[in-house]
Amino acid sequence: MGGDLTDVETTGAWLSREELDSARERLPILYVHAVPVRVDDRGVVTLIGVLLRADSDGSIGQEVVGGRVLYHERIRDALARHIENDLGPVALPRIPVSPQPIAIAEFFPTPGVTAYHDPRQHAVSLAYIVAVMGDCQPQQDALDLSWVTPEEAAEMAMRGEMSGSHGVLVRQALAHLGYPI
């Protein structure tokens, strides 16, 4: 034994495409989602960040930040990694030391079991609202990043402009913030 628990190596924890497909057929997969927000100096949410992405089927839709949690990775570290991967290295997220989810989303491959659907897998996602203070630029597979008002985000979610169940996550975030949905 020995060593600091914060020095755990997670880079070898990725699964190959075949291993991931096999795991998705047998196990729920843990995800995190973050609704990025801008806040004013009183802490009031003024803008919500929405990513534009192309799905594997070629369709384009709006999404929030998110992705899998690695084996032996803390939730806080997974949030920070996905925010950096999607919004860039100088997004400057304000993630609490002990983040508490605003929602737990259970995705099923069978439509209609819950409000969340993912045809690839059964997945459980912990959803958070995360204030970002720095310069955000879409990264990796994100095509664009838009900052919209909470009211505009609610309209986008209600009109079904968000991929998968991301509109449900945004509506839950807005309800958590006290906005009518």
Side-chain angles (χ1 to χ4, degrees), residues 24-25 27 106-114 116-123:
R24 282 179 165 156
E25 292 174 2
L27 304 166
E106 194 170 11
F107 292 81
F108 281 91
T110 306
V113 176
T114 67
Y116 303 98
H117 175 249
D118 185 336
R120 305 168 301 164
Q121 65 192 335
H122 177 188

Side-chain angles (χ1 to χ4, degrees), residues 123-140:
V124 176
S125 179
L126 306 175
Y128 300 87
I129 298 169
V130 178
V132 291
M133 309 309 288
D135 183 34
C136 298
Q137 299 296 323
Q139 305 290 306
Q140 295 190 7

Side-chain angles (χ1 to χ4, degrees), residues 29 32 38 42 55 66 73 77 85 89 145 149 159 176:
I29 307 293
V32 291
R38 298 279 195 198
R42 295 175 297 136
D55 291 336
E73 182 177 41
D77 295 336
N85 286 347
L145 170 66
T149 66
R159 287 193 306 255
H176 183 80

Side-chain angles (χ1 to χ4, degrees), residues 29-89:
I29 307 293
L30 181 61
Y31 280 73
V32 291
H33 281 95
V35 177
V37 298
R38 298 279 195 198
V39 296
D40 65 16
D41 46 348
R42 295 175 297 136
V44 175
V45 172
T46 57
L47 297 171
I48 295 176
V50 182
L51 294 164
L52 183 67
R53 289 190 208 261
D55 291 336
S56 57
D57 66 358
S59 62
I60 294 179
Q62 305 282 351
E63 295 185 359
V64 297
V65 171
R68 290 192 314 266
V69 176
L70 298 176
Y71 178 76
H72 220 276
E73 182 177 41
R74 296 181 319 159
I75 296 297
R76 187 177 192 283
D77 295 336
L79 281 167
R81 178 173 55 84
H82 287 295
I83 290 168
E84 181 175 331
N85 286 347
D86 286 346
L87 303 180

